[in-house]
Every structure is written in structure tokens, then in C-alpha cells.
Amino acid sequence: MGRALVWDATCVDSLAASHLPSTSQKAAAAAESAQMLKRPKMFLLRQAVSNARQLAPSVRAMSSKGPLVDLTVDNDGVAIMTLQRPPVNSLNLDLLKEISKSLDDVAKNKSRGMILTSSSPTVFSAGLDIMEMYKPDMKRAEEFWTTLQDVWFKLYGSSFATAAAINGHAPAGGCLLSMSCEYRAMVGGKFTIGLNETALGIVAPKWFMDTMCRTISMRQAELALTTAKMFTVDEALKCELIDEIATDKADAINKCKTFLKKFEKIPPLARAITKLKMREEPIKNLQTSRQADVQEFLSFLKNPKVQQSLEMYIQALKQKAAK
Ligand SMILES: CC/C=C\C/C=C\C/C=C\CC/C=C/CC(=O)SCCNC(=O)CCNC(=O)[C@H](O)C(C)(C)COP(=O)(O)OP(=O)(O)OC[C@H]1O[C@@H](n2cnc3c(N)ncnc32)[C@H](O)[C@@H]1OP(=O)(O)O
């Protein structure tokens, strides 16, 4: 119907002086090298189309409200992902699956950026759901850990810009989620944030540690990880675990938006590649040790001492909640 079947073709002169050395070594080498040269051009072209789409009207229909994650796009084209698993947004398999799917949706919808927050007035996220680790079904535990890894890959390695509006406590996995974002504004008050795994008799996985070491200084991270330090909001600001203190959730979201606005004049491709290069090492490390990391988690769950520690921790939490 009048449409071009071939819209971009390159005829290579295999006998051109520049191609002769490679063509004499390998048949079709000239075509192969022409194709390689074309790839970056196509990549930039695709990116230009995608950037143009990014400037399209800002309110877009995005994935519908899920029960555990609410994902909306505001008038500025910023995606707001709200965790809503009462009472404390503990990260069980279902919540992790929804976060993972929502991150895919944000990536597909080419939002200007994403802000992660919580529907609870006092808890950003209580971290991993301890019930997923206590006397677990091993098949489910494997899926649980793999999904957590997926969430981290997608959030830490997202090409879209991310910020966390931390509107409450953020221990362990909650702290990890916020540290995986590029910017953190935390509501001031009695809230705390940190990787407290050792207090539970467990060990933060290496990629949790790497994420922290790339947020605060190595010295502060080592002290914090070994002592299960939960930082007050003021302490977190001082050691740069967070970037700003907010007066309330709305202020935290506004501060995150102000951060995201900084990218308005930065070409998105340059920003994304820079971010990914900066974060490449820990991502590659987990990619290569992914299976071993799952096996370590599973064998750690089978350790009776770990199960005993978890049981005591659950009892302590329940007693505290009952008061
Ligand atoms: C020896 C090992 C060797 C090798 C290791 C190898 C590999 C490592 C592998 C694995 C590492 C695993 C990593 C885990 C990271 C984590 O995220 S672990 C989770 C850590 N989280 C916490 O410690 C937070 C605990 N919770 C709290 O401190 C408070 O609840 C919080 C400050 C968040 C909120 O306080 P508050 O608003 O007062 O709420 P309550 O305390 O009253 O709690 C309400 C109910 O929620 C339940 N609950 C709280 N946190 C969790 C949780 N994380 N999981 C499940 N359930 C939780 C709490 O029990 C109350 O329940 P109830 O109402 O009593 O039924």
C-alpha cells in the first residue's frame, strides 16, 4: 500500500581499500563492519524518538491501581509509586512482584522520573517480610529471593531517574529500596533508617552492603553494618544517607520533584548512560553471582541458629506491638 519494504539499506563495496584487509581474512567482513558502524546511529535514532515521546503530554494512562502498589503519573510526567501493604509495607513475595511489575510499567511509559513512597504515615517499609524467611517453603523462598534480586536490578539499574520520599521508618530492605534510588528526602521526626540485619542474627547480602557503600562512606558503612546502626533523620543527613530533611510527605515528594527537574535540561541518554556506568560494578557482581546468592540465602534459611534468631525477633516484635 505504498509503504517502503526496505527503508534503510547499505551496499558495501567489499573491494574498497579500507575493507580489503578484513575481506581477505573473512567472507562478508565488510558487511559486518558496516552493520557494526550503523548500530550506534540506530541507537541514537531510537533514543531521539523516545525522547520526543517523553515530551508528549504529561498525563498518561499507566498501569491500574494494584492492591499493594499504587502507580500514578502526575501532571509533570513524574511517576509516583506508593507502597501500600499495611501495616508496615513489609516486603513479601506478592509486594515484591508488584513492585517489579510497576518498575517495568514506569520503564515502558517513559516517565520523566519516578518517586518511591509509602501510604503509611509512619513506615516507609519495614524491610523484608520476616515471615517469608521463618520456617519457609523452600520453593517459595527461592522465588522470593529471585524477585527481590529482580527488583534491585530494575530499581538500582533503572535508566529513568529515581528518588525516594521516605515518609517513615526504613529499616533493612526498606533502607535498601531507598538507597537504590538516586536521591532521598526523608520526613523529619522520630523515624530511623539503616541496615540492621546483624541485630536479627542475619547478614546483609553483599549487594545490600555495596549499595550502602556507594551511598555513604566506606568507614561509616562498615560501622553501621556491623553495629546494626539505625540512623536518626539528623544522623542520616549528616553522613549523607539521605540528601534532605522534609517537613512532611508532601514536602518530601516536592523535594524529590525538584531533584528530578534538574534533569530537564540534561539529554536523557547522556544522563542514563552516566548513571549506569557509575552503577555498573555492583550490578555486574550480582549478575555473575546471582545463583550463588540464591543458594546462600536458601542455605542460610536452613540454618537452625538463624531460624532461632528469627523466631526470637518475631516474638520481640509481637510483644512490642501488643503493648
Ligand atoms: C548467619 C547468616 C549467614 C549468612 C547469611 C547469608 C545470606 C544473607 C541472606 C539473607 C539476608 C536477609 C536480609 C534481610 C533484610 C531484611 O529486610 S530483614 C527485615 C528487617 N526488618 C526489621 O527489622 C524491621 C522490624 N520492624 C520494626 O522495627 C517496626 O515494625 C517498625 C519500626 C518498622 C514499625 O513500627 P510500628 O509502627 O510500631 O509497628 P509494629 O512494630 O507494631 O509492627 C506492626 C506489625 O507488623 C509486624 N512487622 C513489623 N516488621 C515486620 C517485618 N519486617 N516482617 C514481618 N512483619 C513485620 C509486627 O510484628 C506487627 O505484627 P502484629 O500486629 O503483631 O501481628
Side-chain angles (χ1 to χ4, degrees), residues 17 27 45 55 93 100 120 148 154 172 177 188 247 265 308:
L45 200 61
L55 297 173
L93 178 58
S100 180
S120 157
L148 177 67
K154 290 178 191 180
L177 287 183
T247 50
K265 292 197 176 103
Q308 207 182 345

Side-chain angles (χ1 to χ4, degrees), residues 87-88 90 122-123 125-131 133 145 169 171-174 196-197 200-205 208 296-297 300 303 306 313-314 317-318 320-321:
V88 291
S90 62
T122 54
V123 184
S125 164
L128 303 192
D129 192 318
I130 294 166
M131 302 319 289
M133 297 185 280
W145 199 253
H169 297 289
N196 64 333
E197 279 79 354
L200 285 73
I202 60 180
V203 178
F208 283 42
E296 192 179 18
F297 176 66
F300 139 87
N303 181 334
V306 170
Y313 195 72
I314 293 165
L317 273 177
K318 295 235 169 277
K320 193 204 93 185

Side-chain angles (χ1 to χ4, degrees), residues 198-213:
T198 53
L200 285 73
I202 60 180
V203 178
K206 182 68 170 61
W207 43 287
F208 283 42
M209 296 181 184
D210 286 346
T211 311
M212 179 170 254
C213 289

